[in-house]
Amino acid sequence: MNPQPAFEFHWLSPLGVSAALFLLYGGLYIFIGVLEPIVREYSSAGQGALIRGDESDAALFGQSPVQLLKDNPQYALLGKILIHWIAALLIMVGIFQLSIVWFGLRQGQAWAFWSLVVGGVAVFPFWFLMFQPYARARIPLLHWDYPPVILIPTLLYFPAVILGWIGLR
Amino acid sequence: MLTNSLAEFRWLSPLGISVFLFLLQAVLTIIACLIVFAFNSQITATANRVKGGFMLSGRIDALFFGKTIEQIVQDNPQLLEIDRYSLYVRAGIWLALSIFQIALAWFGMRLGQTWAFWAIILANIAALAGWLMVILPVVQKRIPLGFDLPPVVLILAAGVLPVAGILGWIGLY
């Protein structure tokens, strides 16, 4: 389990690129976690979506998110408060991810790789359940209006896992 | 970086108790996430929200919004549906971070790695800061907080952090 002194890490190797992708993924969580409450508080950006994106949410709920928030004033306030909490959770995941990559994966530790794999895959069943109502309402799943906090890590996850696996073999 | 060998690790030492508390917190959070995964529609039903509330508890939320949970649901027709979907977001993130916390406590802290300890501490401080942002508007309205706060994700986390943090610090330094 201790760092292997003989292990040589190179950024331009499969493991190096995997580490870079996982770092980007964790960094993005921290970036969005820090930025989201500020943006929601002081700008109108991001006010047009509830779960997925403006158009998809409008199709699912039968009215535009902006109108929906007007019609559901308590939800509007609740959503604004809860976003701080979700942002904090994103920062927490980001800190964990960055430290596991930096101190574990970069040293060639298999436990770090498998933790990142399991932790990353754990969210997918929840995303699947969350987006099921959109599929049932026949809202195209390939309409790319997913929130960046879900879309970008999902796109980075698979190449990061494949390259990490090749690099550690 | 201070590194103890695994052979030197003892569960009944300050470091051992600290690792155990962080593992316990993460395992209980994983159980809470799995309960959400299996029973989300029941958890987010009006009857359960009357007791558990949307933010902190049924009592606190009702005082905060100035109306009963039933009334809030009636006045905000899409609230339950959005609440159900957004709970999946929170539970998914909780599950991921609990898995990471277990990995850091087991493969890092147990071996005396200080970076793993500080990663867990920093991340948990961030989570508690998020809770503070949720609690602050309630406190500003002078609504009394009680033991009806969310048990695993708030009370346990807030209790574990200082105790496990101090014990971990003693054990590592």
Side-chain angles (χ1 to χ4, degrees):
Chain A
M1 301 300 171
N2 287 324
Q4 300 153 9
F7 184 81
E8 273 189 41
F9 177 83
H10 298 289
W11 286 106
L12 289 176
S13 64
L15 186 65
V17 177
S18 168
L21 292 175
F22 275 125
L23 284 175
L24 193 65
Y25 186 146
L28 181 87
Y29 276 148
I30 295 179
F31 179 72
I32 291 179
V34 170
L35 216 63
E36 185 145 26
I38 300 167
V39 169
R40 294 256 175 174
E41 195 70 37
Y42 299 108
S43 129
S44 60
Q47 308 287 339
L50 297 166
I51 305 289
R52 202 170 125 177
D54 199 2
E55 276 181 44
S56 300
D57 287 347
L60 180 68
F61 295 108
Q63 55 185 329
S64 75
V66 173
Q67 188 57 43
L68 208 139
L69 289 173
K70 258 187 210 161
D71 295 346
N72 294 258
Q74 277 83 25
Y75 173 73
L77 178 58
L78 179 71
K80 207 171 169 180
I81 295 171
L82 287 183
I83 206 77
H84 294 309
W85 182 35
I86 293 177
L89 292 179
L90 289 177
I91 294 171
M92 192 176 180
V93 177
I95 291 171
F96 280 161
Q97 182 130 352
L98 293 186
S99 50
I100 290 174
V101 174
W102 195 260
F103 295 104
L105 190 64
R106 229 167 37 99
Q107 316 288 336
Q109 302 281 339
W111 69 263
F113 173 70
W114 290 110
S115 308
L116 293 165
V117 171
V118 176
V121 87
V123 297
F124 290 130
F126 290 89
W127 295 169
F128 174 77
L129 287 176
M130 190 172 74
F131 293 127
Q132 246 192 347
Y134 293 85
R136 276 200 296 266
R138 298 188 181 283
I139 298 160
L141 287 177
L142 286 177
H143 187 159
W144 296 98
D145 61 348
Y146 295 93
V149 74
I150 290 177
L151 181 65
I152 298 174
T154 303
L155 294 176
L156 294 177
Y157 177 78
F158 295 101
V161 169
I162 293 166
L163 290 169
W165 186 74
I166 293 169
L168 283 174
R169 263 195 317 171
Chain B
M1 197 181 295
L2 184 73
T3 307
N4 294 335
S5 74
L6 187 56
E8 287 171 23
F9 179 81
R10 299 274 177 273
W11 286 106
L12 288 176
S13 65
L15 182 63
I17 296 167
S18 173
V19 169
F20 173 77
L21 287 173
F22 283 131
L23 287 174
L24 178 74
Q25 179 200 357
V27 169
L28 289 176
T29 308
I30 287 176
I31 293 170
C33 294
L34 296 178
I35 290 172
V36 169
F37 187 80
F39 303 107
N40 192 9
S41 48
Q42 288 98 311
I43 293 167
T44 52
T46 309
N48 276 321
R49 284 308 192 204
V50 167
K51 195 176 170 216
F54 294 102
M55 289 192 303
L56 295 169
S57 76
R59 175 189 67 86
I60 296 171
D61 291 5
L63 287 169
F64 180 77
F65 289 111
K67 51 173 85 169
T68 64
I69 298 290
E70 291 98 329
Q71 192 63 48
I72 294 170
V73 171
Q74 204 177 324
D75 294 348
N76 299 264
Q78 278 95 354
L79 176 59
L80 285 183
E81 213 177 342
I82 304 169
D83 177 45
R84 191 176 314 136
Y85 306 151
S86 72
L87 189 57
Y88 282 132
V89 179
R90 286 173 268 162
I93 303 171
W94 271 334
L95 187 59
L97 62 87
S98 301
I99 290 167
F100 290 155
Q101 180 156 317
I102 288 175
L104 286 167
W106 190 262
F107 296 105
M109 270 186 78
R110 214 165 48 101
L111 298 174
Q113 303 283 341
T114 50
W115 64 265
F117 170 72
W118 287 113
I120 293 176
I121 295 291
L122 266 181
N124 277 280
I125 287 173
L128 286 181
W131 275 112
L132 262 184
M133 299 297 282
V134 175
I135 291 173
L136 208 61
V138 172
V139 173
Q140 279 169 342
K141 281 197 170 186
R142 297 177 186 280
I143 296 165
L145 299 174
F147 285 102
D148 51 354
L149 292 168
V152 172
V153 292
L154 177 55
I155 292 188
L156 180 76
V160 160
L161 184 62
V163 177
I166 291 167
L167 288 173
W169 190 78
I170 293 169
L172 284 168
Y173 292 96

